[in-house]
Amino acid sequence: MTTALANLTAFILLLTITAYSVAGGVDYGAGIWDLLAGRGPRAERARQLIDHAMAPVWEANNVWLVLAIVVCWTGFPLLFQSVFASLYPLFALALLALILRGAFFAFRHLQSGPQAQRRTGVVFGISSLLAPFFFAAALGAIASGRVALGEPNIPVWQACFNPTSISFGLVSLAATAFIGASFLVGDARRFGQPDMVDYFRRRAVIATAVLIVIGTIALAVTGLENPHLLNAMLTGLGTPFAAAAVIVTPLVGFLVWRRFFRWYRLLSVVVVGSLVFAWGFAQSPYLLPGQVTIAQSAAPLGSEVLLSIVTLAVVVLILPSLALLVYLDQRGELEAPQA
């Protein structure tokens, strides 16, 4: 009973990380393209589309981040202690970027001059780069095996910044740019802006190529740092998800390049979700590779039962609410009335 509940809780934690990677990744990706838009009338049109697409739903995505933190500290207190003791700089930087991103996204709409809007937009864009990088770097640091059980046994900076953590961070940036461009293609089509469809279509194809290259490099780095994890991705529990990412990523790029605008957004979600699942299942049954398993780190049975009940109630409330929000947004029901 305890082992089954612990595995269920671990799966819920993986699902919340995946949900945040997908939903938050769309918005982070939009922020990355906002930063890279440059200057000129076309760049301003791209930024207006990004603002228009993000405004109704961007803040709701942080629900998954909060849920992941709560599930981690309640369901796996030993994991929570170990991870935050070794990786607190990464989480501090990620949360700082998250706060600055939200604040300056709001400030940009209050500024009247182009220079002030540009400055706030730069902070918003840079924060959109830093937040997903540092969050994913924390997962990479765990995958590298440098997070010790309990207190750190190596300097914190070595646990935080190493080849695996950096490669995970770079894959996250490429994946968020990829899924962000994919969804912005759909938003441009929904708002009837054919020039922006082409603008973001080209960027989606470029992001696809970048993700393939960086993902390949990250696999090589993982093999050098943690051969067991790479083996589990290629021949173990993570294999179906790694294969899905390898097959579907170029497929999305091909569909967008050929202007076949069906299924490409759903498939881009499959790509990002598969990347997270490939890591999570490959690392199973360990939460900290080679040190502590899911069952060993689990909270007492009573806590696991209560957490399962509360999590189920939260999901029952959250999923329909978010689904309704996205549905209304896609139908244009959340648009501000015309003056």
Side-chain angles (χ1 to χ4, degrees):
M1 181 66 174
T2 303
T3 301
L5 279 177
N7 288 330
L8 175 63
T9 304
F11 184 63
I12 291 171
L13 179 59
L14 182 62
L15 285 178
T16 56
I17 293 172
T18 305
Y20 187 66
S21 299
V22 170
V26 172
D27 283 348
Y28 286 134
I32 290 172
W33 293 119
D34 186 286
L35 178 66
L36 299 178
R39 297 188 181 185
R42 200 173 192 192
E44 291 309 312
R45 281 179 53 78
R47 290 191 174 97
Q48 289 172 6
L49 174 65
I50 289 169
D51 276 355
H52 199 184
M54 283 182 58
V57 298
W58 68 275
E59 196 170 16
N61 295 323
N62 290 321
V63 168
W64 300 114
L65 177 62
V66 174
L67 183 58
I69 294 172
V70 171
V71 171
C72 184
W73 90 50
T74 308
F76 304 103
L78 184 57
L79 172 68
F80 187 85
Q81 174 198 348
S82 303
V83 167
F84 277 82
S86 291
L87 305 181
Y88 65 87
L90 292 178
F91 289 111
L93 291 169
L95 292 175
L96 178 61
L98 186 65
I99 293 168
L100 291 175
R101 180 177 186 271
F104 279 83
F105 180 72
F107 291 160
R108 183 164 70 175
H109 295 81
L110 301 177
Q111 303 296 326
S112 55
Q115 289 187 345
Q117 288 184 343
R118 225 171 359 249
R119 286 194 295 268
T120 54
V122 167
V123 177
F124 163 69
I126 292 175
S127 300
S128 298
L129 279 169
L130 296 179
F133 176 86
F134 287 124
F135 278 131
L139 300 183
I142 294 171
S144 73
R146 289 179 171 85
V147 176
L149 187 61
E151 297 300 319
N153 58 7
I154 61 174
V156 167
W157 69 268
Q158 290 183 12
C160 292
F161 300 102
N162 54 73
T164 305
S165 66
I166 293 171
S167 67
F168 269 51
L170 293 177
V171 168
S172 175
L173 289 183
T176 53
F178 163 82
I179 195 172
S182 175
F183 271 73
L184 286 168
V185 169
D187 289 324
R189 296 181 67 240
R190 178 161 58 97
F191 296 137
Q193 300 181 22
D195 60 327
M196 288 293 102
V197 172
D198 287 338
Y199 178 92
F200 285 111
R201 183 178 65 86
R202 288 191 293 270
R203 282 153 180 77
V205 173
I206 293 170
T208 301
V210 172
L211 178 57
I212 291 171
V213 172
I214 293 181
T216 303
I217 295 172
L219 280 177
V221 171
T222 302
L224 292 173
E225 292 259 293
N226 190 341
H228 176 76
L229 181 64
L230 178 63
N231 184 61
M233 284 185 180
L234 300 181
T235 62
L237 292 176
T239 303
F241 307 106
V246 169
I247 295 170
V248 178
T249 301
L251 177 60
V252 173
F254 175 79
L255 292 176
V256 175
W257 175 54
R258 297 294 296 173
R259 299 176 183 273
F260 190 80
F261 296 129
R262 293 183 180 178
W263 303 107
Y264 65 100
R265 287 189 292 182
L266 176 61
L267 291 174
S268 66
V269 170
V270 171
V271 169
V272 176
S274 295
L275 291 173
V276 180
F277 268 46
W279 159 75
F281 276 87
Q283 194 168 284
S284 176
Y286 287 99
L287 292 176
L288 295 178
Q291 298 183 73
V292 62
T293 65
I294 294 171
Q296 291 169 343
S297 179
L301 178 60
S303 298
E304 293 286 345
V305 171
L306 183 59
L307 178 61
S308 299
I309 295 171
V310 172
T311 302
L312 177 62
V314 169
V315 170
V316 167
L317 292 173
I318 288 177
L319 282 181
S321 301
L322 290 181
L324 177 61
L325 179 64
V326 172
Y327 173 77
L328 294 175
D329 176 52
Q330 294 297 307
R331 289 178 57 88
E333 300 291 339
L334 302 179
E335 302 293 328
Q338 297 296 323

